[in-house]
Amino acid sequence: MKATRICIIGGGSRLWAIQFFKDLSYNTMTHGTLVLYDIDKAAARRNVDVADRVFAVNESAGRFIVSAEDDLGKALEGCDLVIISIEPGRTDCRYGDLVLPEEYGILESVGDTTGPGGMMRARRAIPLFVDFAQAIATYCPDAWVINYTNPMTLCTAALFEGFPKIKALGCCHEVFHTEDFLAELVGKWFDVPKPDRRDIHVDITGVNHFTFVTKAFWDGHDLMPRLRELADDPATYSDRTDVAKRRLGEEKWFDCDHLVALSLLRDFGALGAAGDRHLAEFVPWYLASDEQLWRFGVVRTPYEWRIRQAKEKHDKVFADEELKATLSDEEGVDIMRSLMGDRTLFTNINRPNEGQISFLPKGRIVESNGFISRDSIRPVVSSDPPLGIMNLIRRVSDVQKMTLDAVVSGDDDALFAAFLSDPLMNLSHDKASELFEKMLDASKLVY
Amino acid sequence: MKATRICIIGGGSRLWAIQFFKDLSYNTMTHGTLVLYDIDKAAARRNVDVADRVFAVNESAGRFIVSAEDDLGKALEGCDLVIISIEPGRTDCRYGDLVLPEEYGILESVGDTTGPGGMMRARRAIPLFVDFAQAIATYCPDAWVINYTNPMTLCTAALFEGFPKIKALGCCHEVFHTEDFLAELVGKWFDVPKPDRRDIHVDITGVNHFTFVTKAFWDGHDLMPRLRELADDPATYSDRTDVAKRRLGEEKWFDCDHLVALSLLRDFGALGAAGDRHLAEFVPWYLASDEQLWRFGVVRTPYEWRIRQAKEKHDKVFADEELKATLSDEEGVDIMRSLMGDRTLFTNINRPNEGQISFLPKGRIVESNGFISRDSIRPVVSSDPPLGIMNLIRRVSDVQKMTLDAVVSGDDDALFAAFLSDPLMNLSHDKASELFEKMLDASKLVY
Amino acid sequence: MKATRICIIGGGSRLWAIQFFKDLSYNTMTHGTLVLYDIDKAAARRNVDVADRVFAVNESAGRFIVSAEDDLGKALEGCDLVIISIEPGRTDCRYGDLVLPEEYGILESVGDTTGPGGMMRARRAIPLFVDFAQAIATYCPDAWVINYTNPMTLCTAALFEGFPKIKALGCCHEVFHTEDFLAELVGKWFDVPKPDRRDIHVDITGVNHFTFVTKAFWDGHDLMPRLRELADDPATYSDRTDVAKRRLGEEKWFDCDHLVALSLLRDFGALGAAGDRHLAEFVPWYLASDEQLWRFGVVRTPYEWRIRQAKEKHDKVFADEELKATLSDEEGVDIMRSLMGDRTLFTNINRPNEGQISFLPKGRIVESNGFISRDSIRPVVSSDPPLGIMNLIRRVSDVQKMTLDAVVSGDDDALFAAFLSDPLMNLSHDKASELFEKMLDASKLVY
Amino acid sequence: MKATRICIIGGGSRLWAIQFFKDLSYNTMTHGTLVLYDIDKAAARRNVDVADRVFAVNESAGRFIVSAEDDLGKALEGCDLVIISIEPGRTDCRYGDLVLPEEYGILESVGDTTGPGGMMRARRAIPLFVDFAQAIATYCPDAWVINYTNPMTLCTAALFEGFPKIKALGCCHEVFHTEDFLAELVGKWFDVPKPDRRDIHVDITGVNHFTFVTKAFWDGHDLMPRLRELADDPATYSDRTDVAKRRLGEEKWFDCDHLVALSLLRDFGALGAAGDRHLAEFVPWYLASDEQLWRFGVVRTPYEWRIRQAKEKHDKVFADEELKATLSDEEGVDIMRSLMGDRTLFTNINRPNEGQISFLPKGRIVESNGFISRDSIRPVVSSDPPLGIMNLIRRVSDVQKMTLDAVVSGDDDALFAAFLSDPLMNLSHDKASELFEKMLDASKLVY
């Protein structure tokens, strides 16, 4: 495999970047140069040491020359691959995203993709991504760009806004978790050891975090009839309030029983393909109250934990043991190897619609299957879901486009129309307007 | 003008049918045969006398031979024109439509077009309209059919479901009221006597009761800049709670200041073209509470008044004076004259989409301008509204299609998906399901 | 009716402009200012006198103040209406359009709309129309613009290319002739006096000169079954070679028996709605040879006659008698009256596709029905024709778009792709290339 | 790999079937049952022996149990895979397809896909394929079906007409040859040994035999700039008449220099991705004369050779040496292995359009890239080609749809409209009609 020059924007990150170092170590064919760029310059510099330690611990010292770079242009120059994983705005901006809506009775389980909180986060992120794209156009127009930042759809859309010919895709592991859930079911249904999630073949459609499985196969078996049976069985939905409360206590925000996903299959005809905490935010009837959400075993990630965790991550010192690489759930390195010609990959991708999703306009960032090979990402056509699902997705995608256009043109009045149109919006016009103004204020403190 | 054989389905009606007799009297060129059909056979028969009196009072005796007919086939046979204006289900079915949702916190201002109530009304009406269409296919396949019944869109759609080649249109006067409102503004803005609403030229788009004006002209003046100014002025939205309370006291449910219409223009870029009581039901943020609604001067029509009024209408004895014809706001007779070749008419129509609304699928019943002439109704292309408006309309139209398909196939599970997707739905899944079951029960008592 | 300021671009024309003066005279409600602009300044000036005489002869002296203006900007300034009817390039450019293709075996019956000749004419005209549009944008952006110049579709498209907000339409009388032909048939079929062509109601679709009637009514009678019978009757197509030869002798190039129109109905399911000489140029099988064309009674307008006629027109002195106005077949003044608010008009229009033709992309200039009223032109939705007709029209519209893009970007290689794709192209690649180069040369002498 | 039950319809074939036996032998993982069905029952039976010999010669005896079956239902029962490769109509039907048009001056280079000959072949084939599909619906509805028969698009379309849920695809090696041509160029351009054609990555779009490459990569190098340079160089098109004449003498009908493919790239902007003999039939300007065709090095396959070759094939006795298996150019067995779960395959497929080709209607059979895995074929989205290419393809696809509908409904008048619309049609209407009738007659002798 050829030497690859990689730039990580958000290279000071304590979580995502370090996982990526480990993935690079684990895949022994990769080698080249790694440049860390971060608005927190000290963090980037500190991560150079961490990266070197990761390669050393995993007996790969020398495979990558790692450095930090304060200037974005210099960091990007000559890159083959740019990876973007940032926090748009300081962590305390999340107060406005999460706590203010709650004060008005709008509950969000994640608040980084959709809902009032996701919209404000988009308002902070979009200008940054337009800038990144323009820098890429100048310094490495031929580089492949992988975005991991949420709101995924809008950050990726902003890249294409800033540089229409950018070779970018958005990457997300939520569909993998759904495949893993199906793998578990396969183990049970066919009395076999749980297969690898890569052996579950799904046909997906939607927008990131609001994606749906329309077809699923394992070893030639159509899984949809069994899934429908499961979804239609009232016993599936036995009350999980106890489970939820335990999860609250144990801070297991990400645990998921896929009951929201299944209830979408039961009601609308396609299986939700993201964690329940994400799916629940795109429709009004799961987040009516915490009690209702708990019945599905879902708990909301609290603002306080986010602040605490951010601090813990920042202060964390890694033991060697923690830097040992194993096969991870992230596909970033596999995508990189595929784009560099070392393998091929059939996976899920977030890319501008060229026809892969026939019920959305061209150009919208959509999530579908895709085939990745040497210098090429090709979207695979998604089967059409039932009309009820199309309706839910279309609405979300339209609101995303309204948000993008409003933020790019700096028009907060237009953004308010998107705000009103969000699926979680259940306030009176007066209250909606009041909340919007407060959230604009809280979101201003970008850095 | 040639003699016309007209059948009125719902011919026993005390309000609509009698207005139509008066309109026929007023337009002295019309003549022919009038057959009244009603499921309440006595009411139809009683209206024969009323009709005869109307023609006598207006010195038109003999222009129409009026009769009642108990058998639908016989009533339709040989007709040139069929008019349908019925109440789908007894008045007390409206209890389920209006009162049950209210108990769950879902307020409806009308409840006959959209919202949970409109959906249940559609569930009662659609099978009736499929039957009407099949009878028309058998007995008078070349007749023109005008539907006045709500939910307009779904009743008209059901006609095409029952007989795809039916020559039907849906007729509604809400857009006229918006034109009248614009005429009033013109009087004020240009310091001229208020012009006739027919001199206001509008370009409209949407679905019935959720229609929007994208362009408006009077005497060559573009009215949109002034309208936008009015919509953007905070003074426009001064609190109308007092007005609303007075309207409540005076039972003036239909009075309208068009503040909802204007606020949609301000927020989304196109003027709502229906009464505020209709517009408010298609989005969540006006009906959050009665107090909120009152601020816009809008009051909800109570169930009790509907029951009382139904009884009063039933018992009403008309004085001669009340049967005198004047120029009315309804266009039914003008449409009839146009279709019979006596004039032409540029108006608004509800017809299957053939391209007039470019952002909705073909076949959906949509409201646009139309040109009516001898045996011909031609839809006029609507200008595209801003994306935010498209999104709101698309959502409503999709839910209508989901409702139609669910009811035609008798699948209440599929109907529940539509129920969940309604813009007014803000309940938890459990509550939504509970309400749905109760409303199904209440809606069963069709006759 | 309000005073109207009109500019005629091509105001020196001896035929079209003088007919327009007569139409203005005939319609006694019109009044205002008339400015004649022409690249042949002397001709414009000479026509001022002719116009004054026309108004005098028709006892309308003073209704219009007529002047000539050498500067386009001054001519346009403050206009309400601009009319464009020009000859793009000197008459001898037509040599290249008509004679060169014939030398290569490509026969054209008109050669101003389609075929190699129409394409070269478009290449000369498009830059002029882009310039006109830009001048209109500067000097009278709110004026209505009526184009009469061929190639109609591409000249009108070039106006929108030059000024996207231009309020322009293309006007053509070919559909009127088809209505007149139907009126004649109605006279025969129903044994009534031939009705006025305005009493024939047609639903049309296509692009100018390649338009089709999908529905036709008279007095409530569906004319299509009878038309199909006529089209399917072999006797309809009895050999007209004798007629054609007589027409050749008498120089009756424009006489038409509508046999090409009918054979398109027979073969493809919709009636051609233009003269046979136009229709025949859009498909290969009528112009295979003069002999074949004559069988349909159609004769080709020779180049020599065009040259001779141009000279005769130029030298012509009009007798008073020739300046007397009568009701003409042109609708220009009716359109003007409608746009100025004096009446309404349901007619056929050439406008950018907004959805009126559902099988062509938005933005293409298409011919459909339209409704014209005060400051407003609204396209009416055309019914879809059978697939075979869609295919023929789509091909033509695509080639027009290829031509427009090639000429606007000045790319003759791209124009050659359009040239190869023209329906009349039956040459080998070598010969096609040779002919193209020769025609480019012959077309260069614009003025 | 699991045991596979395969039925070959056309199992008596001396060429295609025997190659398939060899491919099965070569891929040592395959095993199962092979049932040969042919309308020529003796031929099927004779091929059982040949198949057994193939497996024996290749030391695979016993891997497949081979039998012949006279009854189609029995042959299909329980199959996992059905392969169809037949000759629709006796070889002498090809007389009408090839010789009759030539008599009228319409030259065809192949005459089995498009042109008058391809259309008549479709008329014979479509009813057979509708029948096959219905039998498959009855006897093995879950089987995968691979069609190799020409006209590929229409035979595959007929399968979906007969059984809409059929799991069918059309397979063709023409794109492989284009990849091979690109591989040759890569060898030259990059001074490397000619790579395997599988290492050339292309993005294709179109309909079978009229497919285009819009993007091409090798080892991360974009090949399009070099291809365009080659296509734009006049030297590329040096006269190949000598080569063509030598090919005629040596009966090398299939040799190809890709000059037609390249000239399409030069003129229209995308590289033809089929042999020149195929491409040349879809546009009028290469087959204007044999002399013109020869300039591109292309020669037409004569009818006499087809007859002679059919006889030779029929009589052929295979030597052991001829039955030795090597890696072949056909992908049938790779597709089979992929569908059975033994590998995955990124290739080109002919399938109903679900969105992979955004400029054609859904449902049309189109050629695009596709990804094949266990029980799954997923179309990959094709990039849009330039408008000129879209126009050429759209026209061909429309004519195919017209042909399908006409043949399925048994309407030869409708078929004549398709006949007139074929790109090779350059006759007068009279001659076209005459030729059509003669070809109908010649095509009648199906068996």
Side-chain angles (χ1 to χ4, degrees), chain D residues 139-210:
Chain D
Y139 295 102
C140 54
D142 287 327
W144 282 97
V145 180
I146 308 181
N147 172 46
Y148 283 94
T149 314
N150 283 329
M152 165 65 74
T153 305
L154 282 167
C155 290
T156 308
L159 290 175
F160 285 89
E161 201 69 27
F163 175 29
K165 295 196 164 180
I166 199 165
K167 291 156 67 178
L169 85 159
C171 245
C172 174
H173 52 207
E174 290 291 319
V175 173
F176 306 161
H177 298 169
T178 299
E179 291 167 348
D180 201 62
F181 166 58
L182 295 177
E184 244 177 71
L185 291 174
V186 160
K188 219 185 303 173
W189 287 336
F190 296 90
D191 201 18
V192 294
K194 180 186 156 188
D196 189 284
R197 66 116 185 134
R198 288 166 191 81
D199 291 331
I200 307 296
H201 300 294
V202 292
D203 185 341
I204 62 166
T205 189
V207 292
N208 182 248
H209 291 172
F210 198 52

Side-chain angles (χ1 to χ4, degrees), chain B residues 66-301:
Chain B
V66 187
S67 64
E69 177 58 70
D70 289 358
D71 179 74
L72 181 57
K74 282 189 191 148
L76 292 172
E77 197 137 39
C79 276
D80 302 297
L81 183 69
V82 180
I83 292 176
I84 314 179
S85 178
I86 66 161
E87 177 75 17
R90 288 205 323 255
T91 309
D92 55 8
C93 281
R94 303 290 288 148
Y95 178 84
D97 299 350
L98 294 167
V99 182
L100 286 177
E102 191 172 335
E103 287 175 1
Y104 281 73
I106 297 179
L107 307 187
E108 298 167 309
S109 29
V110 185
D112 69 354
T113 309
T114 187
M119 200 170 283
M120 285 299 148
R121 190 177 163 99
R123 189 171 170 277
R124 297 193 300 273
I126 287 167
L128 301 174
F129 277 76
V130 169
D131 286 352
F132 293 154
Q134 287 169 347
I136 287 164
T138 307
Y139 295 102
C140 54
D142 287 328
W144 282 96
V145 180
I146 308 180
N147 172 46
Y148 283 94
T149 314
N150 283 328
M152 165 65 73
T153 305
L154 281 167
C155 291
T156 307
L159 291 175
F160 285 89
E161 202 69 27
F163 175 30
K165 295 196 164 179
I166 199 166
K167 290 155 68 177
L169 86 159
C171 245
C172 175
H173 53 207
E174 290 291 321
V175 173
F176 306 160
H177 297 170
T178 299
E179 290 166 349
D180 200 61
F181 167 57
L182 295 177
E184 244 178 71
L185 291 173
V186 160
K188 218 185 303 173
W189 288 336
F190 296 90
D191 201 18
V192 294
K194 180 185 157 188
D196 189 285
R197 64 115 186 134
R198 288 164 190 84
D199 291 331
I200 308 296
H201 299 293
V202 293
D203 185 342
I204 62 165
T205 189
V207 292
N208 183 248
H209 290 173
F210 198 51
T211 310
F212 291 85
V213 170
T214 54
K215 294 181 183 167
F217 294 90
W218 168 76
D219 196 33
H221 297 277
D222 182 354
L223 304 179
M224 292 311 285
R226 281 185 167 82
L227 270 169
R228 269 194 209 97
E229 211 178 292
L230 179 66
D232 287 346
D233 182 357
T236 299
Y237 306 94
S238 63
D239 192 329
R240 310 272 167 126
T241 303
D242 286 352
V243 174
K245 288 191 170 159
R246 201 184 59 232
R247 283 172 181 166
L248 277 174
E250 297 173 358
E251 303 200 330
K252 298 271 193 199
W253 325 113
F254 307 111
D255 281 11
C256 175
D257 304 325
H258 301 278
L259 297 193
V260 170
L262 284 163
S263 73
L264 286 163
L265 172 59
R266 177 193 57 196
D267 296 335
F268 291 92
L271 179 75
D276 282 353
R277 56 202 286 277
H278 285 298
L279 295 171
E281 293 188 325
F282 288 95
V283 290
W285 52 82
Y286 298 106
L287 279 158
S289 69
D290 270 319
E291 287 69 26
Q292 174 68 16
L293 194 62
W294 294 342
R295 294 180 60 85
F296 294 88
V298 185
V299 294
R300 301 190 297 125
T301 322

Side-chain angles (χ1 to χ4, degrees), chain D residues 233-254:
Chain D
D233 182 356
T236 300
Y237 306 94
S238 64
D239 192 328
R240 310 273 167 125
T241 303
D242 286 352
V243 174
K245 287 191 170 162
R246 200 183 61 233
R247 283 172 180 166
L248 276 174
E250 298 173 358
E251 301 199 333
K252 299 271 194 200
W253 324 112
F254 307 110

Side-chain angles (χ1 to χ4, degrees), chain A residues 34-182:
Chain A
L34 190 54
V35 186
L36 307 184
Y37 170 84
D38 205 298
I39 198 166
D40 177 347
K41 297 172 171 44
R45 260 176 248 124
R46 195 169 52 149
N47 265 358
V48 173
D49 298 330
V50 181
D52 285 339
R53 279 181 61 211
V54 167
F55 287 107
V57 162
N58 293 290
E59 296 171 12
S60 306
R63 274 206 5 253
F64 276 90
I65 299 164
V66 187
S67 64
E69 178 58 69
D70 288 359
D71 179 76
L72 180 59
K74 284 190 189 147
L76 291 172
E77 197 138 38
C79 277
D80 303 297
L81 184 69
V82 179
I83 291 176
I84 314 178
S85 178
I86 66 160
E87 177 75 18
R90 288 203 324 255
T91 310
D92 55 8
C93 281
R94 302 291 288 148
Y95 178 84
D97 300 350
L98 294 168
V99 181
L100 286 177
E102 191 172 335
E103 288 175 0
Y104 281 73
I106 298 179
L107 307 186
E108 298 166 309
S109 29
V110 185
D112 69 354
T113 310
T114 186
M119 200 169 283
M120 285 298 148
R121 190 177 163 100
R123 188 170 171 278
R124 298 193 300 273
I126 287 168
L128 302 174
F129 277 75
V130 169
D131 286 352
F132 294 154
Q134 286 169 350
I136 288 164
T138 306
Y139 294 102
C140 54
D142 287 327
W144 282 97
V145 180
I146 308 181
N147 172 46
Y148 283 94
T149 314
N150 282 329
M152 166 64 75
T153 304
L154 281 168
C155 291
T156 308
L159 291 174
F160 285 89
E161 202 69 27
F163 175 28
K165 294 196 165 181
I166 199 166
K167 289 155 68 177
L169 85 158
C171 247
C172 175
H173 52 207
E174 289 291 320
V175 173
F176 307 161
H177 298 168
T178 299
E179 291 167 350
D180 201 62
F181 166 57
L182 295 177

Side-chain angles (χ1 to χ4, degrees), chain A residues 201-204 215 217-222 344 346 354-359 362 369 371 373-376 378-384, chain D residues 201-204 215 217-222 344 346 354-359 362 369 371 373-376 378-384:
Chain A
H201 299 295
V202 292
D203 185 342
I204 62 166
K215 295 181 183 168
F217 293 90
W218 168 74
D219 197 33
H221 297 277
D222 181 355
T344 65
F346 183 89
E354 302 173 54
Q356 60 265 46
I357 303 225
S358 77
F359 60 91
K362 285 195 178 183
N369 291 121
F371 182 78
S373 61
R374 176 79 195 235
D375 215 31
S376 159
R378 301 284 304 278
V380 169
V381 179
S382 297
S383 298
D384 280 344
Chain D
H201 300 294
V202 292
D203 185 341
I204 62 166
K215 294 181 182 168
F217 293 90
W218 169 75
D219 196 34
H221 298 276
D222 181 354
T344 65
F346 184 88
E354 302 174 54
Q356 59 264 49
I357 302 223
S358 76
F359 60 91
K362 285 196 178 182
N369 291 121
F371 182 77
S373 62
R374 176 79 196 234
D375 216 30
S376 159
R378 300 284 304 277
V380 169
V381 179
S382 297
S383 298
D384 280 344

